Amino acid sequence: MKLRLILPIVLMLITFSSCQQSITIDPSPTVSLSVTKPVEKVKLTIGVMPAVDAAPIFLANEKGYYSDMNLDVTIKVFTNALDRQSALQTNTIDGAMSDMIALITNVQGGFDIKGTTMTDGMFPVLIKKGYVEKKEITVAMMEVSVANFLADEWLGSNHTIKKVFINEIPARLEMIKAGNADMGIFPEPMATMGSTDGITKQIYDAKDGYCPDILVFTGKALNDKGAAIESFHRAYDKAILDIQKDDGLARDILIKNLKLKPEIKDLIRLPKYHVSRLPGEDYVSKIASWTGTVLKKTIDINESDIFERKFVSK
């Protein structure tokens, strides 16, 4: 597929996203968990954000699935997208949770990186205390981000949106608490952590069955550690199947690894978790078209430049 759309030739940093309302079990997931293990134990370092997407990555480690695949996986939690991006660009980490907008922008900017599977997240909208429904609303978000995309998709048809761009989640949350913005879009479980003192948490469903979140690996890692990355995806899929049977596993692992307050465990809104998969041409075009329209720049890349499809479940 040839993408000729409007997009910036710069590296952008995007927050993690979430787009489903409740967790359900895939009735018949078709996934092969057999894979040839690396002969020697291989080290992989994976960057995650404090979001529900990270649950299967944490769980596979907890259950020893990586070790079973002869992998030595280090999971690094980033609370700042700038730090995550820097770690990818310097090859300090092999891969990380990211999103479609960041991936397309990075590839167009010349960064050797590819998406290997979509991840499943949740982005609740937090609404300030005392909000009264109106046509024009102020929404706090990151500028070129999943939050911006979802604001247009979820709120744009019924509202005129005045966008306030704030990258740092705590500062964005303070705007909502102070009543200086009507709404803000936040990743779960951070949204639940912030939904106090009369702030309402509103959940919207994804329109296309996908959230724009994606797991990416650097070109260096793909070239040097291809077999290990294949094994990582099979361990990830195995953890997904566990969570599909018992969502309490995801809740417990998030509380433990993100050091969250135990009392919010049952308040966290989980997505529908899927085994490794990548979207088709229509969805890619939709995301790229939106980004290009917003930023008024031109892109010229192939779909094969964006994805490495050989790791998705068969």
Side-chain angles (χ1 to χ4, degrees):
M1 176 191 72
K2 195 75 171 176
L3 298 177
R4 292 187 176 275
L5 302 163
I6 300 177
L7 204 68
I9 308 176
V10 289
L11 301 180
M12 308 302 300
L13 306 167
I14 319 295
T15 55
F16 30 92
S17 63
S18 301
C19 313
Q20 299 287 341
Q21 182 170 355
S22 60
I23 184 166
T24 59
I25 298 176
D26 285 348
S28 305
T30 303
V31 50
S32 172
L33 299 179
S34 62
V35 63
T36 302
K37 300 179 185 178
V39 176
E40 297 180 357
K41 183 163 284 191
V42 178
K43 293 183 178 181
L44 284 176
T45 303
I46 307 297
V48 302
M49 305 299 287
V52 291
D53 310 49
I57 297 174
F58 286 134
L59 186 63
N61 190 52
E62 177 93 355
K63 286 183 167 286
Y65 295 157
Y66 299 136
S67 182
D68 291 345
M69 296 287 186
N70 215 18
L71 299 177
D72 179 4
V73 175
T74 298
I75 303 170
K76 184 169 183 178
V77 179
F78 290 90
T79 58
N80 186 311
L82 285 170
D83 294 338
R84 179 202 62 194
Q85 184 73 12
S86 177
L88 282 168
Q89 290 183 281
T90 58
N91 290 301
T92 304
I93 58 177
D94 297 298
M97 287 168 46
S98 186
D99 61 81
M100 287 287 297
I101 301 165
L103 172 61
I104 293 171
T105 307
N106 275 265
V107 170
Q108 178 62 31
F111 184 25
D112 188 8
I113 193 169
K114 288 188 177 182
T116 59
T117 180
M118 304 297 284
T119 61
D120 302 296
M122 176 72 66
F123 259 122
V125 176
L126 296 187
I127 304 172
K128 73 176 183 180
K129 183 178 180 179
Y131 170 78
V132 177
E133 185 63 32
K134 54 188 177 180
K135 179 64 176 178
E136 183 172 323
I137 57 175
T138 303
V139 183
M141 64 187 75
M142 281 188 68
E143 184 171 4
V144 184
S145 69
V146 171
N148 195 341
F149 170 78
L150 294 177
D152 283 346
E153 180 149 286
W154 292 338
L155 306 172
S157 59
N158 296 321
H159 299 277
T160 300
I161 303 174
K162 180 181 178 182
K163 299 177 179 180
V164 180
F165 301 127
I166 303 176
N167 291 344
E168 294 294 330
I169 289 177
R172 204 184 315 160
L173 183 58
E174 283 305 313
M175 280 201 72
I176 307 301
K177 288 183 176 180
N180 295 326
D182 295 311
M183 304 177 190
I185 300 181
F186 299 83
E188 187 73 307
M190 308 315 292
T192 293
M193 292 286 286
S195 59
T196 58
D197 300 325
I199 294 177
T200 301
K201 183 174 70 171
Q202 179 70 46
I203 305 297
Y204 292 86
D205 290 328
K207 294 183 178 180
D208 303 286
Y210 290 105
C211 187
D213 290 351
I214 194 164
L215 185 66
V216 300
F217 283 86
T218 66
K220 178 176 172 54
L222 290 167
N223 288 331
D224 297 346
K225 302 179 180 180
I229 293 172
E230 165 74 17
S231 296
F232 176 88
H233 284 74
R234 301 293 73 80
Y236 172 89
D237 287 342
K238 194 171 182 180
I240 291 288
L241 297 181
D242 290 340
I243 293 172
Q244 288 177 346
K245 295 174 184 176
D246 180 7
D247 74 343
L249 294 172
R251 297 178 186 278
D252 288 338
I253 206 71
L254 289 169
I255 294 292
K256 176 180 178 180
N257 286 272
L258 299 181
K259 297 179 173 57
L260 304 174
K261 296 177 181 179
E263 54 265 34
I264 75 164
K265 175 182 172 180
D266 294 331
L267 300 176
I268 298 172
R269 298 299 296 264
L270 293 176
K272 177 179 178 180
Y273 287 96
H274 299 83
V275 294
S276 53
R277 60 178 186 156
L278 286 169
E281 178 178 341
D282 289 346
Y283 187 72
V284 175
S285 295
K286 176 181 178 178
I287 299 293
S289 179
W290 174 87
T291 309
T293 300
V294 168
L295 296 172
K296 299 179 176 62
K297 300 289 181 179
T298 302
I299 188 171
D300 184 7
I301 59 175
N302 294 309
E303 187 184 17
S304 60
D305 297 325
I306 302 171
F307 296 141
E308 177 49 80
R309 291 187 174 273
K310 68 181 180 182
F311 303 122
V312 298
S313 297
K314 303 298 192 296

